[in-house]
Amino acid sequence: MFLLQRTWTEMELLPLVCFCLLTCSGTTFGDEVTKMKVKEDEDVTLPCSLDSTNITSETFDWKKDDQKEVFMYQNGKLYNKGLSGQDPQFKGRVFHFEDQLQSGNASIVIRNTKVTDSGRYSCIFPHHQPTTRSIIELIVDCILKDRTKENKPGLCRKPSVTILDETNDWALLECEVEGVFPKPKVQWLDSDNNTVSAEKPQVTESEGKYNIILNATVTKSDVYRCVSTQEEICHQLDRKIKITLQGAPPEPNNVSGPNTGLIVGLVIALIAVVAVVVYYKCFRGRGGGY
Ligand SMILES: *[C@@H]1O[C@H](CO)[C@@H](O)[C@H](O)[C@H]1NC(C)=O
């Protein structure tokens, strides 16, 4: 069994992960490792116990990647409750199970997990042998969401949407996403989340950043959404635009169109027939006269 010791903290940087897979995977540990996987923003309970002994007046310590202080219990004292030294990353998010201490349960729960919580957690009883009683390899998978507040460089800002052209029956919509990396996927969706067929995106690149323009023609009134997704960093943003087309629904509208044409056509045909008949009659009339 191998462990990616520092790799999980770099989860957002996919190329680095690949690099590390090649370089760090040689590390091995004798201890049993439990693998756990959760989705970002979910809670996770990391299991640990000291047999079935009462640990109310014991000391146990949870560390991440052998260095970050996650949680400490010392005879009733805790981080931010008599003890200091907890890594700021975990402040206010890690709890133990007070009522389970009597049965030796030293599990902790990490609330509201973040991708950067991914890593190797060890549960240590410093006054017992062996000291390490549990090792958890945790992976927190990111979910697609708006990460604007995380303030990372290259994050998409909200797309800008405009109506380029419009008639009673259709509207030409434009969506623009400016100055971002990694290159986002841009889509137009209708209110049922169906993809609206769009033109080929116009992609321009300058100084490693992308500008993308995506035009789409829509033919029904609806609320449309331009969605920009940066899959690599799980960042997704959208902007809505309400389109109200003035034209009557296509069906009845189309009937009046061909009908006008048909009537005009019939009138012309009728005139032609009358003309032919008149000409023929005159010709015949004259011919008969001879
Ligand atoms: C410890 O307690 C928690 C919360 O009740 C429970 O989910 C977990 O299974 C327990 N773990 C052990 C090792 O007993």
Side-chain angles (χ1 to χ4, degrees), residues 45 47-49 97 100 105 107:
T45 299
C48 179
S49 69
F97 300 97
Q100 306 261 332
N105 189 336
S107 307

Side-chain angles (χ1 to χ4, degrees), residues 46-215:
L46 307 183
C48 179
S49 69
L50 187 73
D51 313 318
S52 320
T53 50
N54 186 342
I55 54 168
T56 318
S57 41
E58 292 280 348
T59 298
F60 64 90
D61 187 19
W62 280 90
K63 278 186 158 65
K64 176 176 185 288
D65 301 324
D66 293 327
Q67 39 162 349
K68 281 190 177 174
E69 284 296 337
V70 178
F71 184 87
M72 171 90 91
Y73 178 92
Q74 204 174 75
N75 190 17
K77 288 184 190 152
L78 311 166
Y79 281 144
N80 309 309
K81 212 176 133 191
L83 297 178
S84 59
Q86 186 180 36
D87 193 284
Q89 178 181 343
F90 296 103
K91 200 172 174 205
R93 289 200 296 129
V94 185
F95 306 93
H96 71 305
F97 300 97
E98 180 75 43
D99 58 345
Q100 306 261 332
L101 293 174
Q102 280 153 349
S103 53
N105 189 336
S107 307
I108 51 168
V109 57
I110 303 178
R111 300 223 184 276
N112 195 18
T113 53
K114 299 167 183 179
V115 173
T116 49
D117 291 340
S118 300
R120 198 179 68 111
Y121 291 80
S122 38
C123 169
I124 300 155
F125 282 87
H127 309 309
H128 291 263
Q129 283 300 329
T131 49
T132 303
R133 293 302 173 124
S134 173
I135 298 178
I136 319 285
E137 195 183 303
L138 179 68
I139 297 175
V140 182
D141 279 334
C142 70
I143 52 170
L144 280 177
K145 64 173 186 179
D146 180 356
R147 292 177 193 277
T148 313
K149 287 205 189 86
E150 294 176 18
N151 243 335
K152 287 190 204 128
L155 285 183
C156 282
R157 278 161 290 162
K158 256 183 179 300
S160 46
V161 297
T162 43
I163 302 172
L164 284 187
D165 199 359
E166 197 177 10
T167 68
N168 284 344
D169 305 317
W170 53 263
L172 175 59
L173 311 182
E174 180 183 270
C175 176
E176 184 168 17
V177 180
E178 277 186 301
V180 293
F181 183 88
K183 188 171 146 188
K185 182 173 128 195
V186 181
Q187 275 180 300
W188 276 106
L189 302 178
D190 66 14
S191 58
D192 295 327
N193 280 334
N194 297 314
T195 311
V196 175
S197 66
E199 294 168 18
K200 199 168 169 283
Q202 303 161 39
V203 182
T204 51
E205 194 207 322
S206 80
E207 291 167 14
K209 294 195 168 183
Y210 293 92
N211 279 10
I212 297 178
I213 294 176
L214 184 67
N215 292 345

